[in-house]
Amino acid sequence: MKAAARAGESRRAAVLGKPVGHSLSPALHRAAYAELGLDGWSYERYETDEDELPGFVAGLGPEWAGLSLTMPLKRAALALCATVTPVARSVEAVNTLVRDGDGGWHGDNTDVPGLVAALRERGIEKAPEAAVLGAGATASSALAALASMGADQVEVYVRSEARAEEMREWGRRLGVEALARPWERAAEALRRPLVIATTPAGAADALAAEVPEPPGTLFDVLYEPWPTPLAARWAARGGTVLGGLDLLVHQAVLQVERMTGVVPAPLAAMRAAGNAALAAR
Protein backbone atom coordinates (compact mmCIF):
# COMPACT_ATOMS: atom_id res chain seq x y z
CA MET A 1 0.00 0.00 0.00
CA LYS A 2 1.31 3.43 -0.90
CA ALA A 3 1.73 6.16 1.72
CA ALA A 4 -1.59 7.73 2.66
CA ALA A 5 -2.50 11.02 1.02
CA ARG A 6 -2.33 14.17 3.12
CA ALA A 7 -4.78 17.06 3.28
CA GLY A 8 -3.57 20.00 1.22
CA GLU A 9 -1.36 17.83 -0.96
CA SER A 10 -1.84 18.60 -4.69
CA ARG A 11 -2.37 15.43 -6.70
CA ARG A 12 -4.19 14.66 -9.94
CA ALA A 13 -6.17 11.71 -11.25
CA ALA A 14 -8.55 11.15 -14.15
CA VAL A 15 -10.63 8.69 -16.12
CA LEU A 16 -9.64 7.95 -19.71
CA GLY A 17 -11.65 6.28 -22.44
CA LYS A 18 -13.58 6.83 -25.65
CA PRO A 19 -16.35 7.75 -25.23
CA VAL A 20 -15.87 9.03 -21.71
CA GLY A 21 -18.33 11.92 -21.40
CA HIS A 22 -20.92 9.68 -19.76
CA SER A 23 -18.57 8.45 -17.03
CA LEU A 24 -19.72 8.76 -13.42
CA SER A 25 -16.15 8.30 -12.15
CA PRO A 26 -15.49 12.05 -11.63
CA ALA A 27 -18.56 12.33 -9.39
CA LEU A 28 -17.54 9.29 -7.35
CA HIS A 29 -13.86 10.15 -6.92
CA ARG A 30 -14.50 13.84 -6.19
CA ALA A 31 -17.04 12.85 -3.53
CA ALA A 32 -14.40 10.62 -1.95
CA TYR A 33 -11.82 13.42 -1.93
CA ALA A 34 -14.31 15.81 -0.32
CA GLU A 35 -15.27 13.30 2.36
CA LEU A 36 -11.61 12.52 3.10
CA GLY A 37 -10.60 16.19 3.24
CA LEU A 38 -8.24 15.86 0.27
CA ASP A 39 -8.89 19.40 -0.96
CA GLY A 40 -5.73 19.44 -3.07
CA TRP A 41 -6.79 16.45 -5.17
CA SER A 42 -8.51 16.79 -8.56
CA TYR A 43 -10.15 14.25 -10.86
CA GLU A 44 -10.99 14.92 -14.51
CA ARG A 45 -11.98 13.01 -17.65
CA TYR A 46 -10.08 12.84 -20.95
CA GLU A 47 -11.28 11.40 -24.24
CA THR A 48 -8.47 9.02 -25.19
CA ASP A 49 -8.27 6.08 -27.58
CA GLU A 50 -5.79 3.20 -27.77
CA ASP A 51 -3.41 5.02 -30.13
CA GLU A 52 -3.32 8.11 -27.91
CA LEU A 53 -2.92 6.30 -24.60
CA PRO A 54 0.89 5.72 -24.59
CA GLY A 55 1.64 9.35 -25.38
CA PHE A 56 -0.86 10.63 -22.83
CA VAL A 57 0.57 8.50 -20.03
CA ALA A 58 4.18 9.30 -20.98
CA GLY A 59 3.44 13.00 -20.67
CA LEU A 60 2.12 12.87 -17.11
CA GLY A 61 4.16 14.56 -14.41
CA PRO A 62 4.88 13.36 -10.86
CA GLU A 63 1.76 15.09 -9.54
CA TRP A 64 -0.35 12.37 -11.17
CA ALA A 65 -1.38 9.68 -8.67
CA GLY A 66 -3.47 7.45 -10.87
CA LEU A 67 -5.80 6.82 -13.79
CA SER A 68 -9.10 5.01 -14.20
CA LEU A 69 -9.43 3.33 -17.58
CA THR A 70 -12.61 2.43 -19.40
CA MET A 71 -13.22 1.01 -22.86
CA PRO A 72 -11.35 0.61 -25.14
CA LEU A 73 -8.17 1.01 -23.07
CA LYS A 74 -8.16 -1.85 -20.57
CA ARG A 75 -6.11 -4.26 -22.63
CA ALA A 76 -3.87 -1.64 -24.25
CA ALA A 77 -2.81 -0.41 -20.80
CA LEU A 78 -1.07 -3.70 -20.02
CA ALA A 79 1.90 -2.71 -22.17
CA LEU A 80 2.42 0.49 -20.14
CA CYS A 81 2.74 -1.17 -16.74
CA ALA A 82 5.98 -1.85 -14.89
CA THR A 83 4.04 -4.29 -12.68
CA VAL A 84 0.60 -5.86 -12.94
CA THR A 85 -1.55 -7.56 -10.31
CA PRO A 86 -2.39 -11.25 -10.81
CA VAL A 87 -6.10 -10.49 -11.18
CA ALA A 88 -5.47 -7.93 -13.94
CA ARG A 89 -3.17 -10.37 -15.69
CA SER A 90 -5.72 -13.19 -15.38
CA VAL A 91 -8.38 -11.25 -17.32
CA GLU A 92 -5.91 -9.32 -19.50
CA ALA A 93 -7.51 -6.05 -18.48
CA VAL A 94 -6.18 -3.07 -16.50
CA ASN A 95 -8.78 -0.55 -15.38
CA THR A 96 -6.55 1.18 -12.81
CA LEU A 97 -3.07 2.67 -13.14
CA VAL A 98 -1.32 3.76 -9.95
CA ARG A 99 2.03 5.55 -9.79
CA ASP A 100 4.62 3.33 -8.11
CA GLY A 101 7.55 4.42 -5.95
CA ASP A 102 9.93 4.50 -8.93
CA GLY A 103 7.71 6.76 -11.02
CA GLY A 104 6.41 3.93 -13.19
CA TRP A 105 2.88 2.57 -13.36
CA HIS A 106 1.33 -0.35 -11.50
CA GLY A 107 -1.60 -1.97 -13.30
CA ASP A 108 -4.61 -3.30 -11.41
CA ASN A 109 -8.16 -4.48 -12.08
CA THR A 110 -10.80 -3.40 -9.56
CA ASP A 111 -13.76 -4.69 -11.59
CA VAL A 112 -13.29 -8.28 -10.38
CA PRO A 113 -12.99 -7.52 -6.63
CA GLY A 114 -15.65 -4.83 -7.09
CA LEU A 115 -18.11 -7.47 -8.30
CA VAL A 116 -17.24 -9.66 -5.32
CA ALA A 117 -17.56 -6.75 -2.85
CA ALA A 118 -20.95 -5.73 -4.24
CA LEU A 119 -22.28 -9.27 -3.85
CA ARG A 120 -20.85 -9.60 -0.35
CA GLU A 121 -22.61 -6.37 0.62
CA ARG A 122 -25.85 -8.24 -0.13
CA GLY A 123 -24.79 -11.23 1.93
CA ILE A 124 -23.61 -13.40 -0.97
CA GLU A 125 -20.27 -14.88 0.08
CA LYS A 126 -20.29 -18.01 -2.08
CA ALA A 127 -21.54 -18.65 -5.61
CA PRO A 128 -21.39 -22.37 -6.37
CA GLU A 129 -24.23 -22.08 -8.93
CA ALA A 130 -24.38 -19.12 -11.30
CA ALA A 131 -25.08 -18.09 -14.87
CA VAL A 132 -23.63 -15.27 -16.96
CA LEU A 133 -25.48 -13.56 -19.80
CA GLY A 134 -23.09 -12.29 -22.48
CA ALA A 135 -19.48 -12.85 -23.47
CA GLY A 136 -17.63 -9.53 -23.48
CA ALA A 137 -14.94 -8.08 -21.23
CA THR A 138 -17.30 -7.75 -18.27
CA ALA A 139 -18.30 -11.40 -18.68
CA SER A 140 -14.67 -12.46 -18.23
CA SER A 141 -14.49 -10.34 -15.07
CA ALA A 142 -17.69 -12.01 -13.87
CA LEU A 143 -16.12 -15.43 -14.46
CA ALA A 144 -13.06 -14.41 -12.45
CA ALA A 145 -15.23 -13.10 -9.62
CA LEU A 146 -17.32 -16.28 -9.53
CA ALA A 147 -14.20 -18.45 -9.56
CA SER A 148 -12.93 -16.57 -6.50
CA MET A 149 -16.30 -17.20 -4.81
CA GLY A 150 -16.10 -20.94 -5.15
CA ALA A 151 -17.76 -21.65 -8.48
CA ASP A 152 -16.46 -24.76 -10.27
CA GLN A 153 -18.84 -24.37 -13.24
CA VAL A 154 -20.64 -21.35 -14.66
CA GLU A 155 -23.25 -21.40 -17.41
CA VAL A 156 -22.61 -18.70 -20.00
CA TYR A 157 -25.24 -17.77 -22.59
CA VAL A 158 -23.81 -16.41 -25.83
CA ARG A 159 -24.86 -15.61 -29.39
CA SER A 160 -22.23 -17.47 -31.42
CA GLU A 161 -19.90 -20.45 -31.29
CA ALA A 162 -16.94 -18.08 -31.57
CA ARG A 163 -18.08 -16.32 -28.40
CA ALA A 164 -18.70 -19.68 -26.76
CA GLU A 165 -15.12 -20.77 -27.39
CA GLU A 166 -13.80 -17.44 -26.09
CA MET A 167 -15.66 -17.97 -22.83
CA ARG A 168 -14.50 -21.58 -22.55
CA GLU A 169 -10.92 -20.34 -22.97
CA TRP A 170 -11.42 -17.66 -20.31
CA GLY A 171 -12.76 -20.36 -18.01
CA ARG A 172 -9.69 -22.51 -18.57
CA ARG A 173 -7.45 -19.58 -17.69
CA LEU A 174 -9.43 -18.70 -14.60
CA GLY A 175 -9.89 -22.21 -13.25
CA VAL A 176 -13.65 -22.44 -13.74
CA GLU A 177 -15.51 -24.51 -16.33
CA ALA A 178 -17.53 -22.23 -18.61
CA LEU A 179 -20.51 -24.23 -19.87
CA ALA A 180 -21.46 -22.39 -23.05
CA ARG A 181 -25.15 -22.32 -23.97
CA PRO A 182 -26.85 -20.74 -27.00
CA TRP A 183 -28.59 -17.42 -26.42
CA GLU A 184 -31.87 -18.95 -27.54
CA ARG A 185 -31.89 -20.86 -24.24
CA ALA A 186 -31.07 -17.81 -22.09
CA ALA A 187 -34.36 -18.06 -20.19
CA GLU A 188 -32.90 -21.16 -18.51
CA ALA A 189 -30.28 -18.95 -16.84
CA LEU A 190 -32.97 -17.11 -14.89
CA ARG A 191 -33.62 -20.18 -12.74
CA ARG A 192 -30.11 -20.12 -11.27
CA PRO A 193 -29.55 -18.72 -7.76
CA LEU A 194 -27.28 -15.99 -9.16
CA VAL A 195 -27.44 -14.43 -12.62
CA ILE A 196 -24.94 -11.83 -13.84
CA ALA A 197 -26.16 -9.96 -16.92
CA THR A 198 -23.29 -8.34 -18.85
CA THR A 199 -25.13 -7.63 -22.12
CA PRO A 200 -25.53 -4.19 -23.76
CA ALA A 201 -28.64 -2.10 -23.20
CA GLY A 202 -31.72 -3.77 -24.67
CA ALA A 203 -30.11 -7.13 -25.36
CA ALA A 204 -31.80 -8.92 -22.44
CA ASP A 205 -35.08 -7.00 -22.38
CA ALA A 206 -37.09 -9.87 -23.89
CA LEU A 207 -36.08 -12.11 -20.99
CA ALA A 208 -38.12 -10.00 -18.56
CA ALA A 209 -41.23 -12.01 -19.45
CA GLU A 210 -39.42 -15.22 -18.47
CA VAL A 211 -38.44 -14.32 -14.89
CA PRO A 212 -39.50 -17.17 -12.58
CA GLU A 213 -41.26 -16.72 -9.25
CA PRO A 214 -39.54 -16.41 -6.91
CA PRO A 215 -36.22 -15.55 -8.58
CA GLY A 216 -32.81 -15.54 -6.89
CA THR A 217 -30.28 -12.72 -7.29
CA LEU A 218 -29.75 -10.68 -10.45
CA PHE A 219 -26.65 -8.55 -10.98
CA ASP A 220 -27.35 -6.44 -14.08
CA VAL A 221 -24.21 -4.42 -14.81
CA LEU A 222 -26.07 -1.65 -16.65
CA TYR A 223 -26.78 1.58 -14.77
CA GLU A 224 -28.36 3.76 -17.45
CA PRO A 225 -31.21 3.50 -18.20
CA TRP A 226 -32.19 2.01 -14.86
CA PRO A 227 -33.95 -0.12 -13.99
CA THR A 228 -33.72 -2.30 -17.07
CA PRO A 229 -36.90 -4.23 -17.94
CA LEU A 230 -35.22 -7.40 -16.68
CA ALA A 231 -34.22 -5.80 -13.37
CA ALA A 232 -37.68 -4.24 -12.88
CA ARG A 233 -39.44 -7.54 -13.46
CA TRP A 234 -36.97 -9.36 -11.22
CA ALA A 235 -37.61 -6.96 -8.35
CA ALA A 236 -41.37 -7.11 -8.89
CA ARG A 237 -41.23 -10.88 -8.47
CA GLY A 238 -39.40 -10.57 -5.18
CA GLY A 239 -35.81 -11.22 -6.24
CA THR A 240 -32.66 -9.44 -5.11
CA VAL A 241 -31.33 -6.97 -7.70
CA LEU A 242 -27.93 -5.33 -8.00
CA GLY A 243 -27.21 -2.82 -10.73
CA GLY A 244 -24.32 -1.28 -12.57
CA LEU A 245 -24.00 1.50 -10.01
CA ASP A 246 -23.26 -1.13 -7.35
CA LEU A 247 -20.34 -2.38 -9.45
CA LEU A 248 -19.18 1.10 -10.38
CA VAL A 249 -19.15 2.33 -6.78
CA HIS A 250 -17.39 -0.71 -5.34
CA GLN A 251 -14.68 -0.75 -8.00
CA ALA A 252 -14.23 3.03 -7.56
CA VAL A 253 -13.85 2.57 -3.79
CA LEU A 254 -10.92 0.25 -4.49
CA GLN A 255 -9.45 2.71 -7.00
CA VAL A 256 -9.58 5.56 -4.46
CA GLU A 257 -7.90 3.37 -1.84
CA ARG A 258 -5.13 2.36 -4.23
CA MET A 259 -4.51 5.89 -5.54
CA THR A 260 -4.68 7.75 -2.21
CA GLY A 261 -3.50 5.05 0.20
CA VAL A 262 -6.45 5.89 2.47
CA VAL A 263 -8.46 2.88 3.69
CA PRO A 264 -11.38 2.62 3.82
CA ALA A 265 -12.68 4.92 1.09
CA PRO A 266 -16.10 6.48 1.86
CA LEU A 267 -18.51 4.04 0.22
CA ALA A 268 -21.71 5.77 1.38
CA ALA A 269 -20.64 9.22 0.18
CA MET A 270 -19.55 7.83 -3.18
CA ARG A 271 -22.81 5.93 -3.67
CA ALA A 272 -24.83 9.06 -2.81
CA ALA A 273 -22.83 11.06 -5.35
CA GLY A 274 -23.45 8.41 -8.02
CA ASN A 275 -27.18 8.37 -7.36
CA ALA A 276 -27.30 12.17 -7.46
CA ALA A 277 -25.38 12.31 -10.74
CA LEU A 278 -27.74 9.81 -12.35
CA ALA A 279 -30.81 11.61 -11.04
CA ALA A 280 -29.54 14.88 -12.56
CA ARG A 281 -29.36 13.40 -16.06
Side-chain angles (χ1 to χ4, degrees):
M1 177 63 67
K2 66 189 294 180
R6 297 183 300 273
E9 182 181 36
S10 294
R11 301 303 301 274
R12 298 180 68 183
V15 59
L16 311 182
K18 191 169 187 177
V20 79
H22 67 287
S23 176
L24 292 178
S25 291
L28 302 182
H29 285 249
R30 290 168 186 168
Y33 300 161
E35 187 74 10
L36 296 172
L38 300 178
D39 51 351
W41 282 63
S42 66
Y43 190 99
E44 305 297 334
R45 57 165 67 90
Y46 293 93
E47 192 100 349
T48 311
D49 63 22
E50 294 149 298
D51 292 334
E52 296 165 330
L53 180 63
F56 184 97
V57 172
L60 299 181
E63 74 278 11
W64 282 84
L67 297 169
S68 307
L69 303 174
T70 186
M71 298 302 292
L73 304 178
K74 295 182 182 182
R75 181 166 293 182
L78 279 165
L80 307 179
C81 301
T83 54
V84 179
T85 61
V87 66
R89 184 72 69 188
S90 73
V91 292
E92 294 184 4
V94 167
N95 79 329
T96 309
L97 288 176
V98 179
R99 184 82 77 177
D100 64 26
D102 297 323
W105 294 98
H106 177 64
D108 201 350
N109 182 300
T110 62
D111 287 331
V112 175
L115 272 162
V116 174
L119 288 166
R120 284 180 175 162
E121 186 181 30
R122 302 299 183 91
I124 301 172
E125 298 283 344
K126 296 290 184 180
E129 287 187 71
V132 173
L133 302 177
T138 306
S140 65
S141 292
L143 273 183
L146 292 169
S148 75
M149 297 175 71
D152 295 319
Q153 296 180 331
V154 176
E155 295 178 356
V156 294
Y157 290 81
V158 300
R159 294 187 181 276
S160 70
E161 178 54 33
R163 287 290 196 177
E165 182 51 37
E166 285 179 8
M167 293 305 291
R168 284 191 286 263
E169 175 57 29
W170 278 117
R172 287 189 284 269
R173 295 185 189 186
L174 296 167
V176 58
E177 185 179 6
L179 303 173
R181 307 282 190 255
W183 183 258
E184 291 74 21
R185 293 170 52 188
E188 297 173 7
L190 310 186
R191 302 188 187 99
R192 302 297 171 256
L194 172 62
V195 181
I196 302 180
T198 70
T199 50
D205 289 358
L207 294 175
E210 307 293 335
V211 176
E213 190 171 12
T217 297
L218 171 70
F219 199 149
D220 191 330
V221 302
L222 294 171
Y223 63 83
E224 194 176 25
W226 186 260
T228 63
L230 179 59
R233 181 67 168 171
W234 201 278
R237 291 206 157 222
T240 298
V241 176
L242 293 85
L245 187 60
D246 292 292
L247 171 57
L248 192 63
V249 169
H250 277 281
Q251 67 83 28
V253 161
L254 296 169
Q255 288 185 334
V256 169
E257 291 176 352
R258 284 150 172 71
M259 292 180 192
T260 67
V262 178
V263 179
L267 172 64
M270 295 171 71
R271 175 175 278 133
N275 280 320
L278 284 176
R281 291 186 176 180

